[in-house]
Amino acid sequence: MKNRLFMLIAFLAFSFFSFAQQKTVKGTVKDERGEPIIGATIVAKGTTKSIISDVNGNFSFNVPTSATTLIVSSIGLDKKEVEIKEGTLSIVLKDNAYSLNEVVAIGYGTQRKRDLTGSVSSVSEKSLRDIPVATVAEALTGKMPGVQVTTTEGSPDAEIKIRVRGGGSITQSNSPLYIVDGFARDDIKDLSPSEIKTCDVLKDASSTAIYGSRGANGVLIITTKSGEPGKTRINYAGYVGIKNITKELAVLSPYQFARKQYERALYGDNKVKSEYETYFGSFGDLDLYNYMNATNWQDETFGRTGTTQNHSLSVTGGTKTFDYDATFSRIDDKAIMIMSDFTRNNASVKFNIKPINWMKINLAARYSNTVVNGSGTNDVTGTEKSTNDSRVKSAVVYQPINLTNLVAQNDDEDAISNLYSPLVNSQDNNRYQNTSDYKLNGGLTITPFKNWSLNSNFGWERTTKNDERFYGLSSYFVKDGGAGKRNNLPAPAISFRNTYTTVFQNSNTINFKKDNILESQDINVIVGEETYMKKSNYHLDDIQGMPQTYLSHEAWANPDSGTIKSQDYTFPDEVLFSFFGRVNYDIQGKYLLAATFRADGSSKFAKGHRWGYFPSFSAGWRISDEEFMVDTKDWLSNLKLRASYGASGNNNISNAAYMRSYSLSPTNWLPTDFPQSIMTVGSYIADKLVAVMPNPDLVWETTITRNVGLDWGFLNNRISGTIEAYKNTTKNLLIQLPVSGSGYAYKWLNMGQTSNQGLEFNVNASLVQSKDFNLDFGFNISTNHNNVDNLGTFTSYQFNEAWTSQSEASNSFVVTPGSPVGLIYGYKNIGRYDASDFTWTSGKWVANAGVVDNSAIDGLSWGPGAMKLFDKDGSGSITEADRVVIGNTNPKHYGSFNFTSNYKNVDFSANFNWVYGNQIYNANKVEMCSEYYKYRNLLTTMQNSYSQVDWATGERITDPALLEAANANADIWAVPTGRYATTSWAIEDGSFLRLNNLTIGYTLPADLMSNLHVQKLRVYCTAYNLYTLTKYSGYDPEVDSRRSSPATPGVDYSAYPKSRSFNVGVNLTF
Amino acid sequence: MKKYIILPLFALLAFGTFTSCSDILTVSSASNYSDDIVFGTPDQANIGIASIYEIFAENNSYRNRMWLQMGTNTDLEYRSGWADTKVGTYTKVDDLFSLYSANTTVAEGYNDNDANPWNRVYGGIERSNLAIEGIRTFGNPAAGNDMGQLLGEALTLRAFFFYDLIKWWGDVPARFVPVNADNIYVSKTNRDVIYDHIIADLQEASTLLSAPGGTFTATTQRISKDAARGLLARICLSAAGYSMRPDSTASDSIAIKITVSDTRKAELYTIARNACRDIITDGHYKLDSTYKTIFYQQCQNNVTPGREVIWQLPYKFGNRGRMLYNLGLPREADSRTGSHNTVAVGGQFKVMPSFFYDFDKNDTRRDITVVPYKVVKNVTLNVMEQSLASGVTGFNLGKWRSEWLSVPITGTDDGVAPIVLRYADVLLMFAEADLFLNGTEGADYFNQVRRRAFGQPLNTPSAYDLPLTLNNIKQERAFELCGENIRKYDLIRWGELKTKIDSASSNLTALRNGTGNYATVPSIIYYKMAVDSTIAPGERVLVIYGLNRGETDVKTTTDPTGGWVKKDWTKGISSTSSDFYLSDGFNTHMYLQNPDKRQLLPIMHQIILGSNGKLSNDYGYGN
């Protein structure tokens, strides 16, 4: 032991202090445009000596006389080996953006892009480097074909939905598998974008099958930055910015608001006296409302100017045998909504050590902490008790004027129970979330013989989530009597939910790689074994009956002032045990073959169903390397055809869903001489036991993918791109099937089949390449067509977007074989009823014979001008049978394009992304254009609604002719006061084209900086979400607010409004 | 070379994980309760049983919709405000279908998600099935031990759930073991089969359960031996009576029928009589001294075993359950400190006006059950006051009053525990079974109920005694049990739902016209206000003259006692649309559909959709 340590020290010492006979090599490093490269690393091959080029790209390097070759490298450029010659070397490094030698991560290894046979999209460090974003997912938006990134709403901690080639599952998550530095993770929320070096997305089974049962939704592989041999560098990147809401919804003025309330009271059996006058005064004084100032509740709620500060500092450096990277970054984000902010700290250190030439060790430690303050505007994770508490509606339609009586007197059920000021609403649903994550990784690679290497990686991770919620007096939970009382009065409640997760991972691989195993034939074989083990438990304190005056912080600070009920649950471990292997075979660099295989054993399934096998095959043909293509060499630089076929799986269900479990949970409902807890039976979903019937016969769902791709490049790859076509078929869908009437809400089932097929195309082009001016253009477009092939024995079933409990606006998503997931069913609007459809009889409008009855939805406004719906079945009234497909939330295509350019030291980039042809269910609009509840304001959409009121007298017009004349200018039906309904009017085109970001930067002249020991200093400003071209009438068309089931996409209900931000930043390297 | 040392280590590492791989995938958790733990000890099993009871408190379950609404709309009780929602029709006593606004095609809010009533009841059945299976397997249940009691509770609750399913939906899927792949999708089972099963279960449970006052039966909110016996009697009477059957369609002239044979019918009556006799003989219960005591103590949450109440649904007092919110005497919100209710309560159901006059004026049950006023806030005086209805149609149900509560209502849930079974019902059921079986003991028990109602000594024949006839029993059950979710199912089993509702209709006309049974009902009443601060400080109460037959004196403001206000009562014309004059429209619009063809609810669309083709609607409903 002592011996070995001594050897190691000696070895290290030797590498640092080695010297020998020396000679001096001079040279200049430039890029293809002839610009000097500053800070390029020059290493003498076979030694540990290195030097860095100066501001003019020059270097003068003392190397041992034995050295014959230099290795020159710089970030973003191809590494080059140069023979040492007499005189000054002129070294040109090629930009590696389009380089086929670029290496991509393919799972348990890397591969040169030119050798790929599967479908892999990548985002290089270069395109991540210059544009600061808060989250990794944002950085990926629009960067890769076939990868749709949706920012579901505007909150600083908004969930970012990543879908690789659509999604196969109907009820289960379609999120890809995340692999960071070789280790699987549930999400990448806690990563700082500044840590990322590259991101690769594996899209077809030939690349994902190596991840077996978890690969069906694609695999996102992130490689973080490591140190590089060379001089120590200190990088600082930071920016500050401001942001504001992009759009507010226009609401009625106080005068119009009062008019609508009058109208409603008049229709309601002439309840003007009891409903209107008490709060608004007499009809004659209506004009006074013209002079009242409206409170803009959206301004009060979302109107503040948010600020962002982001700082990232890293120190990197190393020698040939030892390199390191230490990074710290922090983001502080004050969001546009009151009480809403976000802070994240990341710290990491990474070492790569090569103590002996046949051994490599890497070690990394990573810490992150995220704090999210504020309630947000909704909660789809299920800890919120009701959509009643959703915050956007109160910010939009809360009374614009102070109606003294309405607030003071608690007599009117509508007024007291259904809407609160958004300020109260936000306070009473306050939330604090603090997540800490610790990770330790270590890896060992040895190369015992030539061509052989053995690798072993260990990872350990601990995540702690604290989720503190507050339920104030206005919250549904308290109001509805769900929370315990204090002094027999409703009282605030809080909950502390702490979740602890520990993950241990280990993978061991053996790699055999031999070039020219047969003549011009290379082989690369990897076999391995992997273990994944996850332990988690949570502790929940429900504390109710707090003092009535408490607000969130007092309540959180004094939990013992209420009645505490605790729950603690340890989940069954989640274990995955796997074997895998891959063979790549390369014949003359032209014919590429690959096969992978993985066997996964998972604890998620019952004995006998645990093992799954996932094979895949792929082949590539580099046509451009064929002899018969020699004539095209001067313009066609690359042409490769590849095809793949394979299977991967999805085991996205909770652990031990196959076995019946009971869990204790406290109850407030049983008399005190009963046990105060109950035993719930079912199985676990996420961290709560729900009434899901266990099913011991479950197996994973399997996706078969077929992929054909063509990679091409022209003019020395100045223009290059890929076109791909795929068809994925997912069988044995894991479905959480509603099983009404069984005593369980759902049952786990393998049932049915879906398919996704699509085309992807991308192109990158260097439009201008010159010394001073460069202009690059990138473009990608993807289509995906989803289809439900069959649903087993079922013909269809419904999914409830559940923004309201009203049936006409529920279960709008129906999954039917032959149609895609995401179709919206509802009623078709066909204008409005005329005065001639009704007769005024005994003080009521009575529909004439043959007029379709829609009185339930129109409510009090049933009569002339009422909203008219299509009576599909001709039954004479509007019923569920009249629902038809009124929308499709799947886009026809989506994509992005970007320009990057520089003129001398000024750089510029613009990124656009679009989604086309999808529809959105604007549920906000349904709620905000209805007077189902009294005393709510309306969107200006209803400004010129059909009205039966004679505004001169305040009386109801009952003469059809006069009525039609009075409404000659009405552009929309009478405000419905019946029930909410999903109608075609609420379905809007969600297409948009967004200027996602625009950046202008300036790099200070290198010679100026070198005097200050600064290698690089760039200042820039960036605008995000600068402009969106859309016809959508809501806040933002990129929205997905009812996410508890993937089968209800594209609903806009109470989504946190998006903001536009402007940042100024600096990148600094010493 | 060191690398040759490391290599075997590598192999060893890999080998180590390989060998353990068969075990590594079998996981468990310290927190994961399995059946043997849950049902292995009385303490744990008690929680399992509490979970069954918890179903009663779930939303859209017994807490609001089911127990508190499903049993009304008869010849006695009707849903108020129902008329408002249907243009031009005044129906008071419509079928369950419309009362419940369940519709097979339009999925109604509370019917179309997994929190629908059907699912709630089956949730209770599943929890019962798990408990029954678990306790039988792991608990060594026997008569007299704790596990026996707990098993008996599970059996009884399951029977109760199935009985309610049959009451509301007719034939339903029977499931007597926990849900598994074989029984998740099953078609309807003939209810006679279910009846036989649950009758046997209740007989077994009666032997297992403890008498009141045992470890788990110190409260009337848990099932005791006598609760199981009482339910057994009730279920036997239903099983022996009329019902709609899947093969009786809406167009059948005879929609209701009796399917059990005469022999079986006699058996069922015998089981019922024996069950009631056992209760009476064991003597754990007795009639409360006054009729008011029952409901007053119920509102006070002061019910203990040994008195009249045998079983109540369990709710935490003041916290869960909407007894008064649904069935209470209407009382407006009173925001003053120390008020009885800071939210408005009650008034969802009214009482048929003629029923008030069917009572003997000396029957103490009348003024508890039927009340001619609601309680409103007098804003000027800042007190609460009784507000006389605009006319005879404004009679409210008065058995549950927020002024009787021991703690005020501050939300929609008051937690007053609904009474499912009480001793008077047992006496009447005994009398009915005894009459059928030509026994001799029934008359006295029958008259004990009457004697209590008229304030007479229980065991001494009184002037109010009546001979024991089926008609007298039917009428007595109306007087005794009005508003208690029993009348409707009595009428159904007697095959009289339609005929009784029809006679209520003609009673209303007779009442208006002052003819027949109602010839002596005064058409005018007089009232004035008094103060009764025992209810609440300054509470103004009504003094009424003219509600009793024969009270035909003319009172004026200048009478010796003075201050009388005159009111047209049975012939009054109301100015507002919510209180109706006894017009022909009011009197004859009792229902939209023949009640004998609309005794059951349709199965909700959602349930049918999810049944994998096994369920469809019968009884004249479309799917």
Side-chain angles (χ1 to χ4, degrees), chain A residues 4 7 269 358-359 411 413 444 446-449 454-456 458 476 479-485 488-490 506 508-509 529 531 533 565 568-577 579 601-603 605 607 610-611 655-656 658-664 667-681 684 693 697 737-747 749 793-794 796 798 800 805-808 810-811 844 846 878-881 979, chain B residues 1-7 10 13-14 17-22 24-35 38-39 43-48 50-51 53-54 57-59 63 84 87-88 103-110 112-114 116 118-119 122-124 126-127 130-131 133 153 175 178-181 184-185 218-219 221-222 313-320 322 325 333 342 377 407-414 577 605-607 609-612:
Chain A
R4 203 184 302 171
M7 271 182 66
D269 250 340
W358 48 267
M359 179 188 281
D411 293 348
E413 181 79 5
L444 173 71
I446 58 171
T447 316
F449 317 107
L454 283 71
N455 174 277
S456 189
F458 295 87
Y476 180 83
K479 243 171 22 189
D480 188 51
K485 295 178 177 178
N488 196 42
L489 289 171
N506 165 239
N508 304 301
T509 56
E529 168 271 328
T531 312
M533 228 181 272
K565 285 183 178 174
D568 196 272
Y569 189 79
T570 304
F571 292 90
D573 293 352
E574 181 183 332
V575 182
L576 192 72
F577 184 63
F579 301 95
S602 165
S603 65
F605 303 96
K607 230 174 183 150
R610 283 181 180 152
W611 286 91
N655 209 22
Y658 63 87
M659 62 183 179
R660 186 196 287 162
S661 307
Y662 296 84
S663 152
L664 279 179
T667 175
N668 248 333
W669 296 343
L670 289 172
T672 45
D673 41 15
F674 277 64
Q676 293 298 293
S677 46
I678 60 159
M679 203 80 77
T680 319
V681 63
Y684 276 80
M693 188 186 150
D697 300 326
L737 182 76
V739 278
S740 294
S742 63
Y744 298 91
Y746 299 97
K747 175 193 179 180
L749 204 64
T793 54
F794 283 74
S796 77
Q798 307 176 346
N800 195 356
S805 60
Q806 295 193 26
S807 56
E808 288 84 351
S810 299
N811 290 307
K844 274 187 194 325
V846 177
I878 299 302
T879 64
E880 197 196 19
R979 301 162 65 83
Chain B
M1 286 294 274
K2 300 288 179 291
K3 57 189 171 190
Y4 300 116
I5 300 166
I6 290 170
L7 265 178
F10 234 92
L13 189 79
T17 17
F18 286 28
T19 47
S20 57
C21 76
S22 57
I24 202 173
L25 296 176
T26 302
V27 293
S28 65
S29 144
S31 306
N32 230 22
Y33 289 92
S34 50
D35 295 79
V38 175
F39 299 109
D43 278 351
Q44 288 294 331
N46 189 25
I47 298 174
S51 316
Y53 285 104
E54 193 256 1
E58 301 268 5
N59 196 20
R63 166 231 185 187
D84 280 353
V87 182
N103 190 319
T104 51
T105 50
V106 176
E108 283 296 325
Y110 38 83
D112 63 2
N113 55 36
D114 50 288
N116 65 58
W118 171 285
N119 229 8
Y122 271 103
E126 176 68 7
R127 291 181 187 186
L130 291 164
E133 187 185 85
E153 282 184 78
R175 197 179 284 131
V179 175
N180 56 47
I184 183 159
Y185 301 117
T219 162
Q221 301 191 20
R222 284 189 78 152
L313 296 183
Y315 295 120
K316 183 175 281 181
F317 191 57
N319 219 61
R320 194 72 179 171
R322 295 181 166 180
Y325 186 74
T342 59
K377 183 157 73 178
V407 295
I409 304 184
T410 55
T412 50
D413 285 58
D414 45 70
S577 58
H605 191 54
Q606 169 93 359
I607 306 292
L609 266 186
S611 73
N612 205 10

Side-chain angles (χ1 to χ4, degrees), chain A residues 67-340:
Chain A
T68 57
T69 312
L70 295 181
I71 302 169
V72 187
S73 63
S74 181
I75 294 166
L77 301 167
D78 278 350
K79 195 183 269 191
K80 192 169 188 180
E81 293 196 5
V82 182
E83 207 181 314
I84 296 174
K85 290 182 195 154
E86 286 298 314
T88 302
L89 298 172
S90 181
I91 301 164
V92 177
L93 293 186
K94 280 189 183 169
D95 207 319
N96 73 4
Y98 318 122
S99 165
L100 294 172
N101 292 326
E102 193 180 327
V103 160
V104 295
I106 54 166
Y108 309 99
T110 56
Q111 196 170 21
R112 285 187 306 174
K113 209 162 186 179
R114 60 176 290 148
D115 297 336
L116 273 182
T117 50
S119 180
V120 181
S121 292
S122 304
V123 182
S124 66
E125 186 190 0
K126 183 175 164 182
S127 57
L128 290 169
R129 195 171 48 207
D130 290 342
I131 300 162
V133 285
T135 70
V136 175
E138 255 177 85
L140 306 180
T141 303
K143 295 284 193 319
M144 293 169 282
V147 181
Q148 192 180 8
V149 181
T150 309
T151 306
T152 56
E153 52 186 324
S155 53
D157 60 328
E159 184 181 329
I160 313 258
K161 200 168 101 172
I162 299 180
R163 290 289 173 273
V164 178
R165 295 183 166 177
S169 288
I170 295 176
T171 65
Q172 296 314 110
S173 164
N174 283 310
S175 295
L177 172 68
Y178 298 103
I179 303 281
V180 178
D181 290 339
F183 294 101
R185 321 223 302 187
D186 292 336
D187 63 56
I188 48 171
K189 267 186 172 175
D190 62 311
L191 269 187
S192 164
S194 61
E195 291 178 78
I196 297 181
K197 187 173 176 204
T198 57
C199 174
D200 301 290
V201 177
L202 314 184
K203 298 190 288 190
D204 68 340
S206 110
S207 36
T208 64
I210 195 79
Y211 287 105
S213 65
R214 296 173 298 173
N217 292 311
V219 181
L220 203 138
I221 302 180
I222 285 172
T223 311
T224 62
K225 286 176 186 163
S226 297
E228 292 191 17
K231 201 170 132 187
T232 295
R233 288 185 205 195
I234 300 172
N235 288 294
Y236 167 80
Y239 62 85
V240 293
I242 56 162
K243 51 181 162 185
N244 287 104
I245 189 168
T246 48
K247 179 179 179 181
E248 286 184 358
L249 303 180
V251 294
L252 298 183
S253 69
Y255 172 67
Q256 290 160 336
F257 167 63
R259 265 172 60 134
K260 299 290 183 210
Q261 296 303 321
Y262 179 82
E263 180 178 297
R264 190 192 199 283
L266 188 69
Y267 293 179
D269 250 340
N270 209 352
K271 288 185 179 152
V272 170
K273 271 224 137 26
S274 60
E275 284 179 3
Y276 178 82
E277 290 185 356
T278 320
Y279 307 114
F280 293 87
S282 73
F283 173 76
D285 293 338
L286 195 54
D287 277 355
L288 295 178
Y289 285 94
N290 274 320
Y291 308 103
M292 293 190 86
N293 289 325
T295 305
N296 183 339
W297 290 111
Q298 288 176 84
D299 255 1
E300 302 285 325
T301 318
F302 302 111
R304 74 179 187 183
T305 298
T307 55
T308 306
Q309 276 197 52
N310 189 328
H311 304 281
S312 160
L313 184 68
S314 71
V315 182
T316 65
T319 66
K320 208 179 168 207
T321 55
F322 173 80
D323 64 60
Y324 62 91
D325 177 296
T327 304
F328 173 77
S329 63
R330 176 181 173 88
I331 180 163
D332 271 299
D333 191 311
K334 183 180 114 184
I336 56 171
M337 185 180 175
I338 43 167
M339 305 173 67
S340 172

